[in-house]
C-alpha cells in the first residue's frame, strides 16, 4: 500500500483495544488522501515520531486525565515534522517544527499549534526527548515536587529512559546523590558511565531489594515514581522522614499486570503517616505556563555544554512503530524511543 508522498498520508490507527501488551492486531494501516491546506495551516512530512508510555493509556477506556482514542483514530503522538507547504505567515517550506501529528507520515496542521525548531541549537530529535516533553517532565516534577537538596538521595527507576536519565542528572546538578534503577546490567552500566549516576541497581536482580538498601546508606529523600510495582515495594521501607514522591508514571501497571493481589494500601498509608511523606501526582502540562521557558533555557544550555546527556533509541519506518511501542512497555528500548518516519534532509 505505497502512498503518494505529494498527496497522501500513511497512518496507523487503533484497530482494537489491547489487553495486556499491545500486539500487531491492535493496529491498522491506512493510506488516505491529504486535504487541501487552508489559511493558517501547513502540510508537514513527519521526520521523527515519539513513542511514549502514555499512549498505552489512550488505547484503553479506563478513566484517565486525557480522552481515550476511538477505534479507527490515528494514534496520538509528538512529532518533528518538516513543512512541505504552508499557508501560515510564520512557517516556510523546509522549516522544521515540533507538532503533535501522531502516527502518520504526513499531516495538515494548524500553524498556531506547532513550534518552529532551530536545527543549529540541538539535534532535531531532542525536541521529543531531553529538550521536549519527557525532559520537561523530569525538570518540573523533580524541581517542583521533589525539591532535592544538596547531600540528599534521589532514587528513580526507568532511569535510562528520557525522563529517568534527566531526573538523575538534574538531581546531581542540584547537589544530590542520584541512584538509578534499570532493567539489566547494560543499562546499569550506562547509568554509571554515560549519565554519571552515583549508583545503579538492576531491578531484575533476585537480590534487588537488598542491593537497593545497600546503595542508599542514608535512606531515600526523593523517590521519583516512574514505574510502581516491585520497585516501589523495595523503595518504600527505605524512605526517610519528610521524603517527597513526585508520582510521574506507573509503567509497571500500564499493561494491566497483576500486582500479585496483595493489598498494599494499609502499609502504604502507615508509611505516609509515620514518615510524614509528601506524595504528589502530576501531569507535566500543569507546569508548562510557569516553568517551560526556564526549562528550555536551562536544559538547552546543559545539553550544549554536555552537562545533560541523553540517549536515543531510533527505529526506522512507521510500520515498525507498533512493535517498538510494545517493546518499550517491556523495557526493550534503551534510551528515548523514536521512529524515524522519513530521513532528515
Ligand atoms: P522509558 O523510555 O523509560 O520507557 C519505559 C521504561 O519503563 C522501560 O524502558 C523499562 O525500563 C521500564 N519498565 C517497564 N516495565 C517495568 C516494570 N515492570 N518495572 C520496572 N520498570 C519497568 O519511558 P519514559 O522515560 O518516556 O517515561 C517514564 C515514565 O514517566 C513513564 O511511567 C511515563 O508514563 C511517565 N511520564 C509521565 C508524564 C507526566 O506528565 N506525568 C509525562 C511523560 C512520561 P527498564 O528496562 O530500565 O526497566
Amino acid at each position: 500500500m505505497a502512498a503518494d508522498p505529494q498527496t497522501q498520508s500513511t497512518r496507523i490507527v487503533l484497530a482494537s483495544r489491547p489487553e495486556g501488551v499491545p500486539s500487531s492486531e491492535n493496529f491498522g494501516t491506512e493510506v488516505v488522501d491529504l486535504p487541501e491546506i487552508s489559511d493558517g495551516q501547513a502540510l508537514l512530512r513527519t521526520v521523527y515520531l515519539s513513542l511514549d508510555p502514555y499512549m498505552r493509556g489512550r488505547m484503553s477506556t479506563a478513566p484517565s486525565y486525557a480522552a481515550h482514542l476511538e477505534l479507527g483514530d490515528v494514534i496520538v503522538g509528538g512529532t518533528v515534522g518538516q513543512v512541505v507547504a504552508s499557508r501560515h505567515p510564520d512557517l516556510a517550506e523546509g522549516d522544521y517544527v515540533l507538532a503533535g501529528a501522531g502516527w502518520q507520515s504526513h499531516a495538515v496542521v494548524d500553524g498556531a499549534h506547532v513550534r518552529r525548531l532551530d536545527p543549529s541549537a540541538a539535534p532535531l530529535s531532542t525536541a521529543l526527548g531531553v529538550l521536549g516533553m519527557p525532559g520537561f517532565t523530569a525538570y518540573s516534577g523533580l524541581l517542583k515536587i521533589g525539591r532535592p537538596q544538596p547531600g540528599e538521595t534521589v532514587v528513580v527507576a526507568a532511569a535510562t529512559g528520557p525522563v529517568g536519565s534527566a531526573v538523575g542528572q538534574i538531581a546531581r546538578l542540584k547537589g544530590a546523590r542520584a541512584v538509578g534503577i534499570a532493567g539489566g546490567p547494560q543499562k546499569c552500566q550506562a547509568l554509571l558511565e554515560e549519565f554519571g549516576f552515583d549508583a545503579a541497581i538492576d531491578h531484575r536482580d533476585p537480590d534487588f531489594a537488598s542491593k537497593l538498601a545497600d546503595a542508599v546508606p542514608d535512606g531515600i529523600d526523593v523517590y521519583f515514581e516512574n514505574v510502581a510495582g516491585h520497585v516501589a515495594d523495595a523503595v518504600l521501607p527505605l524512605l526517610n522522614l519528610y521524603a517527597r514522591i513526585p508520582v510521574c508514571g506507573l509503567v509497571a501497571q500500564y499493561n494491566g499486570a497483576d500486582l500479585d493481589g496483595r493489598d498494599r494500601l494499609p502499609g502504604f498509608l502507615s508509611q505516609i503517616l509515620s514518615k510524614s511523606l509528601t506524595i504528589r501526582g502530576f501531569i507535566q502540562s500543569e507546569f508548562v505556563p510557569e516553568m517551560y521557558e526556564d526549562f528550555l533555557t536551562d536544559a538547552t544550555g546543559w545539553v550544549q555544554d554536555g552537562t545533560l546527556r541523553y540517549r536515543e533509541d531510533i527505529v526506522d519506518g512507521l510500520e515498525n512503530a507498533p512493535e517498538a511501542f510494545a517493546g518499550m512497555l517491556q523495557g526493550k528500548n534503551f534510551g528515548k524511543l523514536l521512529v524515524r518516519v522519513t530521513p532528515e534532509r
Side-chain angles (χ1 to χ4, degrees), residues 51-55 65 133-134 137-138 140 157-165 181-184 187 203-204 224-231 247-255 257 281-286 327-337:
L51 297 182
D52 298 272
Y54 75 83
M55 296 166 177
Y65 63 93
M133 184 277 283
T137 302
S140 58
T160 60
V163 176
S165 60
I181 297 169
K187 288 186 176 181
H203 69 81
R204 298 202 194 120
F224 193 99
E225 176 62 289
N226 269 342
V227 301
H230 72 290
V231 171
V247 180
C248 173
L250 310 167
V251 73
Q253 301 179 17
Y254 290 174
N255 287 319
F282 73 103
I283 302 299
Q284 49 80 28
S285 48
E286 74 171 283
M328 174 180 61
L329 297 173
Q330 301 166 290
K332 292 183 185 159
N333 64 311
F334 194 169
K336 170 63 205 156
L337 185 59

Side-chain angles (χ1 to χ4, degrees), residues 168-199:
Q169 294 177 88
I170 296 169
R172 295 198 83 243
L173 281 167
K174 299 295 169 190
R177 203 171 158 263
V179 176
I181 297 169
Q186 235 194 324
K187 288 186 176 181
C188 287
Q189 192 181 349
L191 288 179
L192 299 173
E193 293 175 4
E194 275 180 50
F195 296 121
F197 279 64
D198 297 284

